[in-house]
Amino acid sequence: MSVLADCTRATLLHRGGEAQIFRVWVGNKSYVLKWYAEGCKFDAAVSEVLLHNRIDGIYHLMESGEKQGRPFLVYDFVEGVDSAQLTPMPAVEAVASLRKLVATLKRLSERGVHHGDLNPANVLFGSEGLVTLIDCGIVGPGALAYAAPERLRGKPANEKSDAYSLGMLLYYWITGEALVKASSFDEFVDKAAAIDSVDVTSNLYGMMDCLVASRALRGVEDLAKLEPLWKGLFCENPEDRVEDLDELDELLDIALDGLGGNGVGFAKTHEKFVYDIVQKIGTNGNEGPENAQILLEFASERKTKRNKKSLFAIIFIVALLLTVLGIVLQSNGTSVDETGALMLQKSRALNADGVPNIDEKLDSAVMGVDSLILKSLPVPQIGESE
Amino acid sequence: MFGRVCSQAHLFGRFVKEIVTVVVAICFCACTESDVKRGNVALQIGDFDRAIANFTKVLDVDPANRDARYGLALSYYAVAEDKERLKLPSLELWGRTVSEFRILSRVDSTGKINAAYSTSLFYLAKATLSGNGRANVLHLLDHSIQLDSANYFSHNLRAIVLANRGDVEEAKKIYAYIVTREPKFASAYVNLGNLYWESGDIEQAWDIWSMGHEVLPGDRTLAHWTMVAEDSLKALVEQGEL
């Protein structure tokens, strides 16, 4: 049965060009209904995997479908904030969180699924620093600023394209702005194609004062720790990137170590980071007003589905009744027509004994038909049935 | 919005109503079929009273039920035949049988019932004549033949009635027609021979009876009259009259 079948309340979380996001309640439990814009499509195979598997680090998809030609997803509501609200974040936290994402993507990859749309809005940070990935399996390049060059050329997602997007995500988390900025699709394509020529470390150096002030970087020394990541990820040719997610994880581990992520000081940084998340969750005023219309839209679909189910059930029952009726009638001997035919056949049968009695003299002088004639009149074989 | 909900509720209500109607109709048909079936079984095993009761029960609810009407007509037919077999007055029962077939013919125009209806008309004509030899039954027999031209019993009785009315030539034509279409209808040979015999045409009578005797060598009546005619012809030859 649809999760939306018994929802009683809905609030608008976000309304954007790509989708409308609602929080819906079923009793005390809440879910997210993400209703995409027309033209958006999901890979059915990916939805199928996510519907039937609970994978750590990725949202639990409850339902997927299409309404008014627009796809929708229903998944567990994750109490948290999207990563865009936490930028700029300390590089050490960014790298540590990225490792968590890599672990999640590896679990997905083992099931033959690649995310394909890694961007700040699709990564949620929970109150305990848990990182949850949402919106998996979209068909198309996803958020253009984070898409690998081959994705912009229409290629399907894979570990290497996801790794490229993770690099873009890391840059955004540390700086609070996208590395690639463009105003049109073609411009994104051109800039992605020229990604090898972008000197990321120089970019970061140029923003050093701001980054240090926001505690994203400790100083220039952090640039060297991050440099191998940019070199391993921002390559136009997928072959030049890290081999796979495992290699990326190793690079991240090295970077994390260099950034102090494995030291005693990290605990304090992390505590502060989680505190900020909790504060943001507590003051998260992004829930819009109650939205009864969306309940009606999906409830009516549910009603239609129920009606269809009822119709099929009734048709099935009627067909069953008719079949049983037919079997019962068929199994119970001859019909009235057959009985009539048998009776007539018996009545009409000619028998040599059913002729006039020659011993009785026919009295032709009597006006009218003589009773003797009638007695000897051949009749349908009533005498012979005994 | 409220209107949409109401509209959907209304549509759903109509839908449920139609489904309920179908289910009730099916249940009704099932009950009706069950009574017809019981009546048919009773008819087959000779429990005519029960057959009549079951078919009547269905007709009380659905007077146009074809199977029940046919079953009721056949039940009266069977009861009347029983009376006929026991040489008891059967006129009223044949009248009832014909009446049921008449109603049935308005429900079923397929022609499937025509043979049985035709036979019951023959019996009604016969039963009527049994009570009054002068009764006019030709309309019954004409109707019977119209319903089933292969009902030679009705043709035969019609010829007898016509002969007794003095229309011997028409009667002869009918008997000749019967023996042509149904060579084993012994009575037609006998009756046709009788007409010739009564008119003094012994030679022609012998021709007819001996023809029937050839077709039906086991028929004692034809054998007897063939022999009588032969003897008469021999006597005439001996007397030099032939």
Side-chain angles (χ1 to χ4, degrees):
Chain A
M1 184 191 274
S2 168
V3 172
L4 301 169
D6 301 311
C7 62
T8 51
R9 228 185 112 204
T11 54
L12 180 67
L13 291 177
H14 173 76
R15 186 191 296 274
E18 185 200 27
Q20 290 170 282
I21 306 172
F22 299 91
R23 185 177 179 182
V24 293
W25 277 264
V26 178
N28 294 325
K29 198 162 168 53
S30 62
Y31 301 90
V32 171
L33 165 62
K34 192 163 185 179
W35 196 12
Y36 288 84
E38 211 164 340
C40 285
K41 279 186 181 170
F42 277 93
D43 186 335
V46 174
S47 298
E48 200 63 23
V49 169
L50 296 179
L51 280 168
H52 297 101
N53 295 280
R54 215 177 237 285
I55 300 167
D56 285 343
I58 196 149
Y59 66 162
H60 183 216
L61 189 62
M62 306 295 291
E63 197 174 330
S64 67
E66 200 173 277
K67 173 79 180 162
Q68 296 174 1
R70 295 162 53 189
F72 70 85
L73 298 176
V74 181
Y75 50 87
D76 275 340
F77 179 77
V78 179
E79 194 73 54
V81 288
D82 75 57
S83 65
Q85 294 182 52
L86 299 171
T87 58
M89 68 172 75
V92 65
E93 284 294 344
V95 172
S97 299
L98 209 67
R99 282 197 77 190
K100 292 175 186 171
L101 284 187
V102 168
T104 300
L105 290 170
K106 278 161 72 177
R107 284 190 283 273
L108 273 178
S109 187
E110 284 164 9
R111 290 172 170 82
V113 174
H114 306 286
H115 192 283
D117 188 20
L118 292 163
N119 69 72
N122 284 345
V123 182
L124 301 178
F125 280 76
S127 56
E128 293 175 0
L130 291 172
V131 181
T132 305
L133 199 50
I134 62 170
D135 281 9
C136 190
I138 196 164
V139 174
L144 300 179
Y146 303 86
E150 67 273 21
R151 291 280 289 144
L152 292 170
R153 290 195 296 270
K155 294 272 178 65
N158 55 29
E159 283 197 16
K160 283 178 180 282
S161 67
D162 276 354
Y164 178 97
S165 299
L166 285 173
M168 288 294 173
L169 195 58
L170 180 63
Y171 183 90
Y172 180 85
W173 281 349
I174 293 170
T175 63
E177 58 184 65
L179 177 63
V180 178
K181 292 172 191 163
S183 55
S184 69
F185 181 81
D186 290 341
E187 198 181 345
F188 274 115
V189 172
D190 291 343
K191 288 193 172 180
I195 196 68
D196 292 279
S197 62
V198 175
D199 186 346
V200 181
T201 300
S202 292
N203 279 4
L204 291 174
Y205 184 77
M207 294 187 279
M208 185 54 71
D209 290 344
C210 291
L211 295 174
V212 170
S214 63
R215 296 176 188 274
L217 293 177
R218 292 172 301 178
V220 181
E221 68 273 20
D222 282 350
L223 297 180
K225 314 299 179 196
L226 296 169
E227 176 74 10
L229 289 169
W230 313 135
K231 285 196 178 300
L233 296 173
F234 295 145
C235 307
E236 193 275 334
N237 186 352
E239 296 301 317
D240 298 336
R241 287 178 217 150
V242 291
E243 190 63 33
D244 51 26
L245 292 172
D246 284 330
E247 190 184 341
L248 174 58
D249 193 44
E250 283 171 21
L251 287 178
L252 287 168
D253 190 28
I254 293 166
L256 189 61
D257 195 36
L259 293 166
N262 295 324
V264 182
F266 177 66
K268 199 171 180 183
T269 309
H270 186 63
E271 195 178 324
K272 169 79 171 52
F273 181 65
V274 170
Y275 178 77
D276 287 346
I277 293 171
V278 173
Q279 290 299 106
K280 283 210 161 51
I281 292 172
T283 57
N284 204 342
N286 62 353
E287 281 193 28
E290 295 273 340
N291 191 308
Q293 180 62 34
I294 193 70
L295 289 181
L296 193 68
E297 292 283 357
F298 281 85
S300 67
E301 176 170 281
R302 181 191 130 237
K303 203 175 267 183
T304 307
K305 280 181 183 171
R306 280 189 177 174
N307 284 354
K308 280 182 184 169
K309 280 183 185 173
S310 303
L311 180 64
F312 285 131
I314 288 166
I315 288 171
F316 176 75
I317 290 166
V318 169
L320 195 67
L321 278 173
L322 288 173
T323 308
V324 170
L325 192 65
I327 290 169
V328 168
L329 289 176
Q330 276 219 316
S331 63
N332 278 282
T334 53
S335 68
V336 176
D337 279 317
E338 287 168 332
T339 305
L342 282 170
M343 286 174 66
L344 191 69
Q345 191 182 8
K346 205 181 276 183
S347 282
R348 288 280 186 93
L350 282 174
N351 189 303
D353 294 335
V355 297
N357 186 347
I358 56 164
D359 295 328
E360 303 285 352
K361 186 176 179 301
L362 300 178
D363 187 358
S364 56
V366 177
M367 286 299 287
V369 178
D370 192 277
S371 61
L372 291 176
I373 291 176
L374 293 173
K375 278 179 189 168
S376 59
L377 189 71
V379 294
Q381 296 297 322
I382 57 171
E384 282 62 51
S385 61
E386 290 295 304
Chain B
M1 189 186 303
F2 180 72
R4 262 174 69 186
V5 172
C6 287
S7 168
Q8 285 182 351
H10 177 67
L11 283 173
F12 187 70
R14 273 183 61 191
F15 170 74
V16 169
K17 193 178 163 187
E18 281 172 16
I19 289 295
V20 167
T21 308
V22 169
V23 171
V24 168
I26 287 170
C27 293
F28 171 73
C29 285
C31 293
T32 300
E33 286 297 330
S34 182
D35 285 329
V36 170
K37 192 175 65 194
R38 273 195 289 273
N40 190 35
V41 171
L43 180 59
Q44 286 170 352
I45 63 172
D47 186 355
F48 304 131
D49 290 342
R50 202 171 303 281
I52 289 169
N54 275 290
F55 292 129
T56 302
K57 189 177 163 189
V58 177
L59 291 170
D60 284 343
V61 182
D62 179 15
N65 188 300
R66 183 261 180 200
D67 281 355
R69 185 67 67 181
Y70 191 22
L72 186 63
L74 289 174
S75 300
Y76 283 122
Y77 184 106
V79 175
E81 261 196 343
D82 257 4
K83 297 268 185 194
E84 196 82 29
R85 191 179 296 123
L86 296 169
K87 311 291 182 195
L88 295 171
S90 58
L91 178 61
E92 192 184 331
L93 280 166
W94 285 118
R96 186 66 195 262
T97 305
V98 167
S99 172
E100 290 300 336
F101 272 112
R102 188 179 298 120
I103 298 166
L104 177 62
S105 67
R106 290 174 195 136
V107 177
D108 181 357
S109 56
T110 61
K112 282 182 183 176
I113 59 153
N114 285 0
Y117 187 8
S118 170
T119 305
S120 63
L121 281 166
F122 160 78
Y123 273 121
L124 178 61
K126 179 176 176 289
T128 304
L129 287 172
S130 294
N132 175 15
R134 297 185 183 189
N136 182 10
V137 294
L138 282 177
H139 65 286
L140 295 175
L141 295 170
D142 287 344
H143 189 189
S144 171
I145 292 164
Q146 182 196 340
L147 285 168
D148 182 9
S149 60
N151 186 348
Y152 302 113
F153 300 98
S154 291
H155 281 287
N156 189 51
L157 183 55
R158 186 169 182 272
I160 290 172
V161 171
L162 289 174
N164 276 279
R165 285 184 166 196
D167 194 350
V168 174
E169 290 310 310
E170 183 62 24
K172 282 180 182 173
K173 282 181 193 168
I174 292 169
Y175 291 133
Y177 170 78
I178 295 170
V179 297
T180 307
R181 303 301 297 267
E182 179 50 273
K184 292 193 172 179
F185 202 97
S187 182
Y189 294 105
V190 175
N191 292 340
L192 182 56
N194 283 344
L195 289 182
Y196 285 114
W197 179 270
E198 285 161 15
S199 65
D201 191 345
I202 296 168
E203 204 173 347
Q204 193 62 29
W206 177 84
D207 274 351
I208 299 298
W209 285 329
S210 62
M211 190 195 304
H213 181 53
E214 263 182 47
V215 177
L216 299 160
D219 188 289
R220 287 184 303 142
T221 311
L222 284 170
H224 172 82
W225 283 103
T226 304
M227 195 176 290
V228 168
E230 265 181 29
D231 290 345
S232 298
L233 286 173
K234 282 177 190 169
L236 287 172
V237 170
E238 283 170 7
Q239 290 166 13
E241 293 179 17
L242 198 65

